[in-house]
Amino acid sequence: MRKLLFLLSCSFIVFVGAFAQDAEVPQETPSASEPEVMEFKPIRSGDKYIKLGIGLGVPLFNTSNKKFAIPTKIYPGPRIFIGMHFYVTSGLSLGGDISFEFYTTIGKNLYFNVPITFTIAYTPVYKRWRFPMGIGIGGLFMSYLENKTFGMYINPFASFYYQYSPDWSFGGELNWAIATEFRKNINYARANNNLGISFSVRYHY
């Protein structure tokens, strides 16, 4: 009986000593002299934004199968546009855009078109500045007097934005728009070349 009590007493002492030793081991906590390092990424994969803008379309020249540069006989006109985009990576973005453009001809008639494009862009970053550049490819609906037609639309662009806050950025865009007309008689087909200058705002979410 005494031997059993002696063994139990020894076991209890060993258990208490081991528990006390574990309790004295300090928990690993961040040192005040070594603050936690957080990586800041101005653009992250999965970020999205909506773009809304207004600008001026400047007709440059038309191109046919017989002549490269033909006067447009169209005055510069206003354009408004809206788009939705998301970042596949920290630099590459995909999205869609639609714009509404109005032009007056020298005969005081209205020329109207609606381009709809799928857009791919890459965005270099410098501090709070963003420099998206890319191309939009799609189609457009054109209307002039009684004539209505469809065509292919190609829109390379370069732009800049200032990230005012996490939600909002403001900037401008310069683009070269090429609109080709689909005609049964190729001799009447034209490729319209326009220069676009615009200012826009983006909402990030």
Side-chain angles (χ1 to χ4, degrees):
M1 185 68 178
R2 290 180 180 179
K3 291 182 179 181
L4 180 59
L5 291 174
F6 176 77
L7 290 174
L8 291 174
S9 300
C10 291
S11 299
F12 179 77
I13 292 172
V14 172
F15 174 78
V16 172
F19 180 82
Q21 185 177 2
D22 291 338
E24 292 175 359
V25 176
Q27 299 293 326
E28 293 183 3
T29 57
S31 173
S33 61
E34 298 179 359
E36 183 179 357
V37 178
M38 297 182 65
E39 183 181 2
F40 173 73
K41 293 184 178 181
I43 301 175
R44 299 165 299 177
S45 174
D47 285 354
K48 306 177 186 67
Y49 66 86
I50 296 174
K51 178 175 67 174
L52 178 65
I54 185 170
L56 183 69
V58 183
L60 300 176
F61 59 88
N62 294 334
T63 300
S64 70
N65 63 335
K66 295 182 179 180
K67 191 174 181 180
F68 177 75
I70 304 171
T72 63
K73 300 180 181 180
I74 298 176
Y75 296 116
R79 61 188 297 262
I80 59 175
F81 58 89
I82 186 172
M84 181 176 293
H85 302 256
F86 71 95
Y87 284 94
V88 181
T89 68
S90 59
L92 182 67
S93 64
L94 302 175
D97 295 274
I98 181 171
S99 62
F100 304 88
E101 305 178 5
F102 308 84
Y103 303 94
T104 303
T105 68
I106 59 176
K108 297 183 179 180
N109 296 312
L110 182 64
Y111 169 67
F112 172 69
N113 63 38
V114 183
I116 302 174
T117 58
F118 168 77
T119 303
I120 181 171
Y122 182 75
T123 305
V125 174
Y126 176 73
K127 295 183 178 179
R128 288 196 175 191
W129 291 95
R130 316 287 184 257
F131 301 95
M133 58 188 72
I135 187 170
I137 299 176
L140 80 162
F141 169 80
M142 296 174 281
S143 176
Y144 175 68
L145 296 178
E146 300 298 326
N147 299 317
K148 296 178 176 59
T149 184
F150 296 90
M152 183 176 180
Y153 190 80
I154 303 174
N155 179 37
F157 66 89
S159 55
F160 68 92
Y161 289 90
Y162 180 75
Q163 193 75 38
Y164 176 77
S165 70
D167 296 331
W168 298 97
S169 60
F170 304 89
E173 180 177 298
L174 186 68
N175 70 283
W176 184 291
I178 303 172
T180 62
E181 301 177 3
F182 294 150
R183 300 270 185 159
K184 292 181 179 181
N185 190 337
I186 192 173
N187 293 322
Y188 293 100
R190 296 288 186 272
N192 306 318
N193 293 264
N194 288 5
L195 178 68
I197 304 171
S198 59
F199 299 94
S200 61
V201 57
R202 304 193 304 182
Y203 173 70
H204 303 263
Y205 66 99

